[in-house]
Amino acid sequence: EEDLPLVSFGSLMTEGTALSRRGQYDKALGCFNDALKLRAGDKHCLITRSRCFLKLGDTENSLKDAEASLQIDQTFSEGLYQKAETLYTMGDFEFALVFYHRGRRLRPDLHKFQLGINKAEEAIVNCIGNPSSVKLETKEGLCFVSRQAESKKTKQKQQNKPKDQKDQKQTKKQSPKIEQQLLGQLYADKAYLEKLLKDEDLMQSSTRHGIKVRDLVLGGISYLNRRRDFWQQQKPIYARLYERKALRQGRARDKKLKPADIGRSIAKNMEDIELLLARGSAEESCRKAERLLKKIQMWSENEVPNKNELIGDLHSCIGNAQLAMGQMEAALHSHKMDLDSARQNALTDAVSRALDNIGHVYARIGKFQQAIDTWEEKIPLAQSSLEKAWLFHEIGRCYLELDKAEVAQDYGQKSLRSADEEGDVEWQLHATVLVAQAQVKLKDYRSAILNFERALEKAKLVPSEAAQNGIIAALDNVSKSFIAELNESHEEE
């Protein structure tokens, strides 16, 4: 670690954010931890780290970071939202509702607080009935805490109980039929873990790190029990039956709607789906898109004239949400459904969009040749120089990953020419860096140094501190390689 170059707070934040978007939350945590060492108590960094903890299922640390950001700034809307989301995930729906309301009062323009209020109220109704029957007393200076925090004493008492009694409580079974409905595919995992508990020899053994297998198995069962309880609270069985009934009634109402009303409803739903994804709620965006897709498939073309186009759009939205959740195979399938629909209905723009998305998925899973083939098919459909600039850049990046530096350099130069035509400084920067990196692979150090210097000037114009730091580090490495090459040639002479 001592040999690594010094990094800035901004570059660590940028790298951590990029890693979390790719679903690499453990690595992202490392970046955010280092960033907080450089700038302790930064509220924005605390919130991004809190999101990572939440994605990893560590609700305790997620809540700590959210509360720490609010200690710094009590009116920090992102802190309020993150605390509400964490409390909701912990099953503290009432307290989550309080913080969703606080956030909406501060930032009524942010739609996500209203969405949070809606889902928290729905969960409360599912658990205890109409929220009007629940009265939350508000006193001056009152600090709301989660039920988990309030029940610490109870947990301590439970920890003092004999271990056998505690283990027996953890492995207590609910009705298998209800549990299977709640856990879904995870029910088989729970059954397998409970079966392992009966193997006494295995339970007495330990891992290489000294952890008892029994503790690991009980920990897994305990986690699945908590998820079962959460899902039971959020949407119990009777609520699911009610939801299905409401859905059937909704379909009956939809049949009576006029085409103009249906069109407005679809447009509103499509906007909500895109907003949810843009604000990081990929799961909710995906669910909403899947529900809308089922409804549109039931309507006739007389009711929805652009039915085929909308079906493709929704497959695309579902694929993008699945990609954000790290479900690569599912995302690839959805985007291929979009491509098939677009080709069957001769929708050129939709074909171009689907090819773009399929290429991105292939690149993310490391299938660079398939990504290249897909994107090269898209080249004739590109409608602007800017679109060509990023398309050539992505293809060149894939060739660089395949160690085909000469082809990567050619595509980098094509990208640069397209960016020059458009006058876009940011893509001029990306293309110049790609060309320089390809030249380093080709050991053309002199040209690489010139291009990195050009890229540094572009980075100052953007401006991007993270890019400048990265280019300066690359320049330093290339210069050392160039000097070493010159010394070797002098020795040979």
Side-chain angles (χ1 to χ4, degrees):
E1 290 179 354
E2 292 175 357
D3 296 332
L4 292 173
L6 293 173
V7 290
S8 66
F9 175 82
S11 61
L12 286 168
M13 283 292 290
T14 303
E15 185 181 354
T17 304
L19 287 168
S20 63
R21 282 176 182 164
R22 295 185 205 130
Q24 298 174 352
Y25 302 113
D26 287 320
K27 292 182 180 178
L29 274 180
C31 292
F32 296 135
N33 291 337
D34 292 339
L36 284 167
K37 289 176 186 175
L38 296 176
R39 195 179 294 176
D42 183 88
K43 62 183 182 182
H44 297 288
C45 189
L46 284 167
I47 285 304
T48 49
R49 190 172 72 171
S50 175
R51 291 193 193 107
C52 277
F53 279 130
L54 193 58
K55 289 288 185 182
L56 292 167
D58 188 350
T59 52
E60 186 178 345
N61 280 318
S62 176
L63 189 61
K64 282 180 183 176
D65 277 355
E67 288 176 338
S69 74
L70 289 171
Q71 286 176 359
I72 297 162
D73 180 4
Q74 292 183 355
T75 61
F76 184 38
S77 62
E78 289 301 316
L80 288 168
Y81 181 73
Q82 185 59 21
K83 184 169 182 179
E85 286 285 284
T86 306
L87 289 169
Y88 180 85
T89 305
M90 295 166 86
D92 288 349
F93 305 124
E94 298 93 339
F95 291 106
L97 183 61
V98 169
F99 286 94
Y100 284 130
H101 273 294
R102 283 189 185 180
R104 192 181 66 168
R105 282 198 299 272
L106 283 171
R107 293 292 304 275
D109 57 309
L110 293 179
H111 188 54
K112 62 184 179 182
F113 284 113
Q114 184 58 54
L115 291 172
I117 290 168
N118 294 345
K119 70 179 182 182
E121 285 180 346
E122 183 185 355
I124 292 168
V125 169
N126 289 339
C127 291
I128 59 173
N130 195 305
S132 61
S133 63
V134 181
K135 294 180 180 179
L136 293 174
E137 294 183 6
T138 56
K139 298 179 182 179
E140 189 175 353
L142 181 66
C143 177
F144 290 99
V145 292
S146 67
R147 282 200 298 266
Q148 278 78 0
E150 289 178 338
S151 60
K152 278 184 180 177
K153 291 182 181 178
T154 308
K155 286 185 178 178
Q156 288 172 356
K157 288 179 183 177
Q158 289 175 350
Q159 287 172 358
N160 294 330
K161 288 182 181 179
K163 191 171 181 182
D164 293 340
Q165 187 179 348
K166 183 180 175 183
D167 293 346
Q168 189 178 1
K169 186 178 179 182
Q170 282 182 324
T171 57
K172 186 180 178 182
K173 290 187 179 181
Q174 298 286 332
S175 166
K177 186 177 179 181
I178 293 174
E179 195 166 49
Q180 190 168 8
Q181 285 180 291
L182 290 166
L183 288 173
Q185 294 179 349
L186 294 176
Y187 180 75
D189 297 329
K190 187 168 185 286
Y192 175 72
L193 290 173
E194 287 173 343
K195 186 178 178 181
L196 284 181
L197 277 177
K198 297 176 183 177
D199 189 338
E200 294 182 4
D201 293 334
L202 178 64
M203 291 302 102
Q204 295 301 321
S205 63
S206 301
T207 66
R208 285 183 295 178
H209 300 290
I211 303 170
K212 285 190 175 180
V213 173
R214 182 181 181 82
D215 292 339
L216 289 172
V217 172
L218 287 172
I221 293 172
S222 176
Y223 171 78
L224 290 171
N225 285 339
R226 288 198 302 273
R227 298 317 299 164
R228 177 201 64 204
D229 294 342
F230 171 75
W231 288 322
Q232 172 66 14
Q233 283 180 305
Q234 185 190 26
K235 197 157 285 186
I237 300 301
Y238 74 83
R240 297 175 191 202
L241 294 171
Y242 172 79
E243 190 178 70
R244 282 197 287 271
K245 184 180 177 183
L247 183 62
R248 286 195 294 270
Q249 291 172 348
R251 285 172 182 166
R253 284 196 304 271
D254 288 338
K255 289 178 181 178
K256 298 175 184 177
L257 289 174
K258 295 178 181 178
D261 295 329
I262 292 174
R264 280 193 292 272
S265 173
I266 290 172
K268 178 66 173 63
N269 279 310
M270 291 295 289
E271 185 182 345
D272 289 344
I273 289 163
E274 291 173 3
L275 280 171
L276 284 167
L277 184 58
R279 287 165 181 167
S281 302
E283 283 186 48
E284 200 168 345
S285 174
C286 189
R287 284 198 298 269
K288 196 173 183 71
E290 286 172 342
R291 287 197 298 268
L292 183 58
L293 178 61
K294 287 177 182 177
K295 288 174 75 174
I296 288 175
Q297 286 171 335
M298 292 174 60
W299 283 322
S300 67
E301 290 189 7
N302 291 330
E303 293 170 308
V304 186
N306 58 338
K307 178 179 176 178
N308 293 325
E309 186 178 349
L310 284 168
I311 287 172
D313 291 345
L314 285 165
H315 279 305
S316 179
C317 290
I318 292 167
N320 289 332
Q322 289 165 335
L323 183 64
M325 292 186 286
Q327 299 172 4
M328 301 302 176
E329 292 300 324
L332 192 60
H333 175 73
S334 295
H335 289 309
K336 284 183 176 179
M337 292 280 284
D338 178 26
L339 182 61
D340 291 342
S341 174
R343 282 176 170 161
Q344 286 170 12
N345 297 286
L347 300 169
T348 306
D349 289 343
V351 169
S352 179
R353 174 192 65 204
L355 290 170
D356 177 26
N357 289 326
I358 291 168
H360 277 299
V361 178
Y362 277 136
R364 283 279 296 274
I365 60 179
K367 294 184 177 180
F368 299 111
Q369 190 57 57
Q370 287 94 322
I372 290 166
D373 295 341
T374 305
W375 278 328
E376 285 182 339
E377 189 179 347
K378 174 184 163 67
I379 292 172
L381 304 176
Q383 296 180 350
S384 67
S385 297
L386 187 60
E387 190 176 1
K388 287 179 183 178
W390 66 255
L391 187 55
F392 290 143
H393 175 273
E394 295 303 302
I395 294 171
R397 177 65 56 193
C398 288
Y399 274 119
L400 198 63
E401 292 287 345
L402 293 171
D403 285 328
K404 296 182 179 180
E406 283 189 28
V407 190
Q409 181 180 223
D410 291 341
Y411 271 102
Q413 287 165 345
K414 286 180 182 179
S415 175
L416 183 57
R417 284 194 293 272
S418 297
D420 288 339
E421 286 176 20
E422 194 69 28
D424 190 285
V425 178
E426 191 170 350
W427 278 105
Q428 288 171 353
L429 165 63
H430 295 318
T432 307
V433 169
L434 174 60
V435 171
Q437 289 173 329
Q439 288 166 341
V440 171
K441 289 261 188 183
L442 294 167
K443 297 186 178 181
D444 184 1
Y445 300 123
R446 190 187 299 274
S447 300
I449 289 169
L450 290 172
N451 277 306
F452 274 130
E453 286 174 346
R454 290 179 188 131
L456 185 59
E457 294 303 314
K458 301 290 183 188
K460 290 175 183 176
L461 293 173
V462 171
S464 171
E465 186 182 345
Q468 289 177 52
N469 292 335
I471 293 166
I472 289 167
L475 263 171
D476 185 47
N477 291 331
V478 178
S479 299
K480 287 176 182 175
S481 301
F482 188 40
I483 291 166
E485 185 184 67
L486 290 174
N487 289 336
E488 285 177 12
S489 63
H490 282 309
E491 287 173 6
E492 288 174 1
E493 288 176 3

